[in-house]
Amino acid sequence: MLAGDYGPATKRAMEILVALGKIYAAEGLVPVASVQVAGVSYGNLGQAGLEFIQEWAEQGARVRVPTTLNPAGMDLEAWEQLGVPEEYAQCQLKIIDAYRVMGIVPSCSCTPYLVGNRPDLGQHIAWSESSAVSYANSVLGARTNREGGPSALAAAITGRTAKYGLHLEKNRQARHLVQVNCALESVADFGALGYIVGREVEDAIPYFRIDSPGKPGPEELKALGAAMAASGAVALYHIEGITPEANAHTVLADDAVPVIVEGLDEGYEALDGTAQEIDLVWIGCPHASLRELAQVAALLGGRPTRAKLWITTARAVLGEARIRGLVETIERSGGQVVADACLIGAPVQEMGLSTVATNSAKAAFYLHGHHHLEVRFGPLHRCVEAAVKGRWPG
Ligand code: F3S
């Protein structure tokens, strides 16, 4: 591949992997079972990014392993209805086309593990999108580093990645022991916890002991990982009794630094602002599961909404939700289930949004930090109340 026997596109991909392998002193290359490619929204890529992907596709780049795509900056079908400018939309569609030419499934979701790209325990993969990386490593026990867009694409084209970092058993040990002594009652609570711990441990691996009744489900775990990957750069965490590798004898370092969390105020104070009027309520960061869509539908209870209510999800989940009548229930209240999209890469200012409420710590972190919007952050039931009243409740 490096010699160019497989064509210029594959040569270019292998050059990227070899360069990375040298930087990180990799043992060699390892075949990957799947790839998740980030770098999709036109808002993040811009014209230069669009041309880079088109050129690679025209050179003959084709993927060798199952490869899925991160969210775009808009719903690929209902963008007009959401107020996305025509010029942005056309460029976004060209990006998706170029990826499609390469053989990538245009799943446009940051929860590929909910829609068919679900690696097994111990499998090597090359994923980008920090929240998905965290879920794959921690909850599924697969092995991936936090790939960037180009390195993930290079792995997809060659079917391999450089073997270093989290691909190696010895690097999956936790060096922080996080003792959580407060109740965790919602997805937002797990997000607030993730925000606190991510800031504390930065890019290290935390090992959690959680003293709270009830077991976190997939929704809580994706919120926790997404928040730690946003406020820090955590790519792997262990939770005793929950995640597959969490065995204190094997993955907890003897000299682990203790971190004690007595409450979540620090997280809520950092992420929740003071705005009263709400333009938009955004649920689905990371993309909503079917269960979350059902919860929103139930909380709405048929009441009309005053603020916009968008729930972002994978198109396949939207399809399933439609079959179960959830989309219709949400739409009857005035909400919208938005496929393919992430608001962080969307042209939010041009869409006339200035205050957003969300139950996602990651969304709150970036909407404020990246888009400079006023953000309210709280549990799902408060967000749905905000959608109904057009004001943050309480
Ligand atoms: Fe997904 Fe965008 Fe949130 S990629 S995790 S919806 S910031």
Side-chain angles (χ1 to χ4, degrees):
M1 288 179 183
L2 195 59
D5 294 355
Y6 292 79
T10 307
K11 177 176 162 63
R12 190 175 182 182
M14 187 53 89
E15 281 168 357
I16 292 174
L17 296 185
V18 169
L20 276 173
K22 282 186 179 160
I23 291 168
Y24 291 104
E27 285 181 3
L29 297 173
V30 61
V32 291
S34 75
V35 173
Q36 163 83 358
V37 170
V40 182
S41 84
Y42 180 65
N44 290 339
L45 284 175
Q47 196 58 28
L50 163 60
E51 284 165 16
F52 172 80
I53 292 159
Q54 279 180 326
E55 190 194 303
W56 218 353
E58 279 161 17
Q59 269 187 344
R62 300 294 179 268
V63 300
R64 281 186 164 73
V65 291
T67 303
T68 45
L69 213 53
N70 230 32
M74 62 182 203
D75 187 309
L76 300 183
E77 291 175 11
W79 55 268
E80 239 172 331
Q81 194 177 329
L82 297 169
V84 175
E86 166 89 29
E87 200 186 328
Y88 180 100
Q90 292 312 328
C91 292
Q92 181 64 82
L93 292 172
K94 282 183 194 162
I95 291 170
I96 304 296
D97 278 349
Y99 280 134
R100 208 180 262 132
V101 166
M102 293 184 192
I104 298 177
V105 180
S107 48
C108 293
S109 177
C110 48
T111 56
Y113 45 86
L114 295 181
V115 288
N117 185 356
R118 192 176 172 90
D120 293 335
L121 182 68
Q123 230 169 22
H124 294 276
I125 57 175
W127 282 20
S128 44
E129 169 43 40
S130 62
S131 72
V133 164
S134 171
Y135 197 93
N137 270 323
S138 315
V139 183
L140 305 178
R143 298 179 170 207
T144 178
N145 290 316
R146 268 169 71 119
E147 299 291 346
S151 68
L153 202 46
I157 294 165
T158 60
R160 291 149 173 82
T161 193
K163 195 174 183 186
Y164 68 95
L166 295 176
H167 289 285
L168 306 175
E169 189 91 42
K170 65 177 172 73
N171 294 332
R172 298 177 70 87
Q173 275 224 333
R175 305 216 167 273
H176 289 76
L177 172 58
V178 183
Q179 175 68 45
V180 182
N181 293 331
C182 56
L184 298 167
E185 292 171 344
S186 64
V187 161
D189 281 356
F190 275 86
L193 172 67
Y195 173 85
I196 295 167
V197 175
R199 280 190 57 151
E200 180 71 29
V201 309
E202 299 177 351
D203 62 353
I205 300 168
Y207 184 101
F208 285 92
R209 284 196 177 126
I210 299 181
D211 192 10
S212 172
K215 267 192 164 190
E219 290 76 15
E220 288 78 16
L221 296 173
K222 73 180 163 72
L224 174 70
M228 285 194 288
S231 68
V234 175
L236 166 63
Y237 63 88
H238 305 292
I239 308 182
E240 204 162 79
I242 305 285
T243 60
E245 292 170 77
N247 179 335
H249 299 297
T250 51
V251 298
L252 184 59
D254 293 339
D255 56 350
V257 180
V259 177
I260 297 171
V261 180
E262 298 286 1
L264 304 173
D265 288 356
E266 182 192 334
Y268 278 97
E269 278 162 20
L271 297 167
D272 184 25
T274 55
Q276 292 302 313
E277 306 292 322
I278 302 296
D279 294 334
L280 168 73
V281 174
W282 177 25
I283 308 299
C285 167
H287 274 177
S289 65
L290 208 53
R291 184 163 163 251
E292 289 174 303
L293 284 160
Q295 287 169 340
V296 173
L299 285 165
L300 282 168
R303 295 173 296 165
T305 50
R306 287 213 176 128
K308 288 186 171 122
L309 168 64
W310 292 352
I311 305 108
T312 44
T313 191
R315 189 162 290 281
V317 174
L318 183 144
E320 187 59 39
R322 198 181 291 287
I323 291 168
R324 295 185 189 203
L326 299 171
V327 176
E328 201 196 330
T329 306
I330 292 168
E331 286 178 350
R332 227 184 296 122
S333 287
Q336 266 178 295
V337 183
V338 178
D340 316 315
C342 166
L343 230 62
I344 302 304
V348 286
Q349 268 96 5
E350 293 159 56
M351 291 157 83
L353 303 170
S354 60
T355 51
V356 180
T358 181
N359 69 336
S360 161
K362 179 177 177 181
F365 184 83
Y366 284 118
L367 285 170
H368 187 65
H370 186 80
H371 285 300
H372 310 296
L373 299 183
E374 288 275 350
V375 178
R376 295 308 306 249
F377 167 68
L380 183 64
H381 66 91
R382 293 192 83 185
C383 290
V384 172
E385 282 313 300
V388 169
K389 297 195 171 85
R391 290 178 63 78
W392 190 246

